[in-house]
Amino acid sequence: MKSAQIPSPNEPLTIIESENPKPQGNQVLLKVKSEGVCHSDLHLWEGGYDLGDGKFLKVTDRGVKYPITPGHEIVGTIEEIGDNVSNVSVGDDVLVFPWMGCGECPACKVGDENLCDTPKSMGLFQNGGYSDYTLIPDSKYLAKLDGVDPDAATSLACSGLTAYNSVKKANVNSPEFLVIIGAGGLGLMAIQIAKAITKAKIICVDNDDKKFDTAKKMGADYVINTNVTGSISSGIGSPTDKIISICNGKGADSVIDFVNAPQTVKVALGILRKRGNLILVGLFGGSLEISLVTIPLKSITIQGAYTGNFDDMVELLDLARKGVINPVISKRYSLDEVNTALEDLKARKIIGRAVINP
Ligand code: NAD
Ligand code: ZN
């Protein structure tokens, strides 16, 4: 098999060839049809996350070992199965749930393997789908596509799943106004999902005008560019001011921040109404000073969201099958073009999602 590997952080990916593994027990060998290119793959390529104040969280300190084959949005056809596998058959087209856990910790025991204390996620802690074949440790992590387009399905394992989980969290206070910051792979999915499962008016925020046509097509009721003055500011006529006035002068009930950098979280906190709900999802990172009294006085909730669980992914596949959500796939690359795919994402050339078709 041919796999693209990150040899070490910031090094170009190289293609390596190896023998196809033989699946044992519950294992499944998948012939990869389509693999989503996620911004998280860029963080893995760069070796970690920006913590702000010049600090950097290295993925190696979280247990990642290089060289690694990235890719956690994997769709494939089952090539071969281990002796114990009965829930799927050779020839099935499946989506992989990549957020695998230990199966033993409190999170895993309630089905939230995505929040495992010692995660084994594919494409991060074990080799992933930037490859023509990949070995799945257990067939329980596979969901049949049953008619969903393979390229579109890839994003349901990560961007779609994370967007779904975030929108569910944002919907607990039945928002009249929901602000979605960042109209990239995650944000565009969230707009569609929010349109389908909430009653909220959706305000989409980005600092790049090119994202807004698609955002509106996906269902955004309003779009706001936070970059009009070159920097985000408050005060009359500012983006913050505009958003608050759209929200009847009171502010947004819920905000999901798919960027989660100092500039965007400042906006989020500035537009959140009393009893508002802020969900931080993006991993752009940095750090921020916040005035503490406003949190109790406004009784706001700030929470994180990290991917979603297997059941969420199955629900999401069902929404896609019914045509309620249609992931935007705008570019396709071969396995040999992985470096270009990641460079294009970094240079913000991708609308929605790009996929690799090995
Ligand atoms: P993307 O690159 O496709 O989209 C990011 C969007 O944010 C773009 O539209 C960009 O124009 C916009 N943006 C960037 N900086 C901005 C700013 N300062 N103000 C306003 N808009 C800005 O990325 P993506 O694939 O949607 O992922 C978004 C983030 O979410 C990444 O950091 C990714 O690693 C992270 N992520 C988190 C989870 C999770 O479970 N928490 C899962 C997947 C991805
Ligand atoms: Zn991802």
Side-chain angles (χ1 to χ4, degrees):
M1 63 189 223
K2 266 172 76 176
S3 314
Q5 279 193 339
I6 304 175
S8 57
N10 300 309
E11 293 283 322
L13 282 79
T14 50
I15 303 286
I16 56 140
E17 295 207 29
S18 58
E19 282 290 310
N20 271 5
K22 174 111 189 118
Q24 314 284 334
N26 296 327
Q27 294 175 338
V28 169
L29 181 68
L30 212 61
K31 187 173 202 293
V32 179
K33 261 190 164 169
S34 191
E35 161 61 54
V37 182
C38 176
H39 203 113
S40 296
D41 302 333
L42 279 182
H43 295 305
L44 181 66
W45 197 20
E46 289 160 358
Y49 309 93
D50 178 13
L51 293 177
D53 299 328
K55 293 189 211 108
F56 191 73
L57 172 64
K58 286 188 185 170
V59 289
T60 45
D61 292 341
R62 295 186 65 218
V64 170
K65 293 194 176 68
Y66 295 90
I68 178 88
T69 296
H72 52 266
E73 303 191 350
I74 315 164
V75 164
T77 307
I78 297 184
E79 178 86 4
E80 209 180 335
I81 55 177
D83 291 339
N84 301 338
V85 174
S86 58
N87 61 327
V88 287
S89 315
V90 170
D92 285 348
D93 280 343
V94 291
L95 172 64
V96 179
F97 178 79
W99 314 109
M100 301 167 185
C102 67
E104 303 292 329
C105 74
C108 285
K109 281 200 172 134
V110 297
D112 291 334
E113 288 200 36
N114 56 311
L115 303 178
C116 175
D117 288 334
T118 48
K120 298 179 168 45
S121 318
M122 282 190 78
L124 204 59
F125 300 110
Q126 53 181 319
N127 286 331
Y130 281 38
S131 188
D132 55 0
Y133 288 89
T134 188
L135 188 70
I136 309 302
D138 195 312
S139 64
K140 71 175 180 181
Y141 296 116
L142 302 175
K144 289 186 202 174
L145 293 193
D146 282 339
V148 180
D149 173 75
D151 288 342
T154 56
S155 60
L156 304 181
C158 175
S159 59
L161 185 60
T162 307
Y164 187 45
N165 183 19
S166 317
V167 171
K168 276 188 179 176
K169 288 185 178 198
N171 201 28
V172 291
N173 59 351
S174 309
E176 185 184 351
F177 293 99
L178 167 60
V179 174
I180 291 178
I181 303 179
L186 271 69
L188 291 175
M189 285 294 300
I191 293 171
Q192 295 182 51
I193 293 168
K195 208 71 201 165
I197 70 169
T198 78
K199 295 194 169 82
K201 287 254 178 335
I202 298 159
I203 303 163
C204 170
V205 173
D206 205 290
N207 61 1
D208 178 1
D209 277 333
K210 290 197 293 297
K211 309 295 166 83
F212 291 142
D213 277 349
T214 320
K216 283 189 215 152
K217 270 187 215 135
M218 298 294 114
D221 297 287
Y222 304 90
V223 293
I224 300 282
N225 191 332
T226 44
N227 205 27
V228 276
T229 55
S231 68
I232 288 159
S233 53
S234 51
I236 294 168
S238 69
T240 311
D241 196 54
K242 274 188 211 152
I243 297 168
I244 293 176
S245 80
I246 292 168
C247 303
N248 298 333
K250 294 202 176 74
D253 306 280
S254 287
V255 179
I256 311 176
D257 188 346
F258 289 110
V259 179
N260 190 22
Q263 309 90 308
T264 58
V265 179
K266 250 185 229 166
V267 171
L269 289 168
I271 58 177
L272 207 57
R273 65 164 294 165
K274 207 168 177 178
R275 302 179 301 282
N277 189 4
L278 170 59
I279 297 108
L280 301 179
V281 188
L283 300 170
F284 278 64
S287 65
L288 187 67
E289 222 170 77
I290 47 179
S291 83
L292 295 174
V293 286
T294 55
I295 297 172
L297 289 181
K298 286 174 80 179
S299 192
I300 58 171
T301 304
I302 303 177
Q303 59 181 313
Y306 186 74
T307 65
N309 65 27
F310 183 80
D311 291 345
D312 288 332
M313 192 182 89
V314 171
E315 285 171 28
L316 203 54
L317 263 171
D318 197 44
L319 288 176
R321 206 171 287 124
K322 289 180 181 142
V324 175
I325 51 164
N326 293 294
V328 178
I329 308 295
S330 63
K331 246 178 162 168
R332 291 169 175 80
Y333 300 87
S334 70
L335 193 58
D336 294 325
E337 296 168 326
V338 278
N339 286 294
T340 318
L342 287 169
E343 291 292 359
D344 285 354
L345 181 62
K346 197 175 191 169
R348 294 183 171 212
K349 289 185 188 162
I350 311 289
I351 302 284
R353 260 289 181 268
V355 294
I356 294 166
N357 299 128

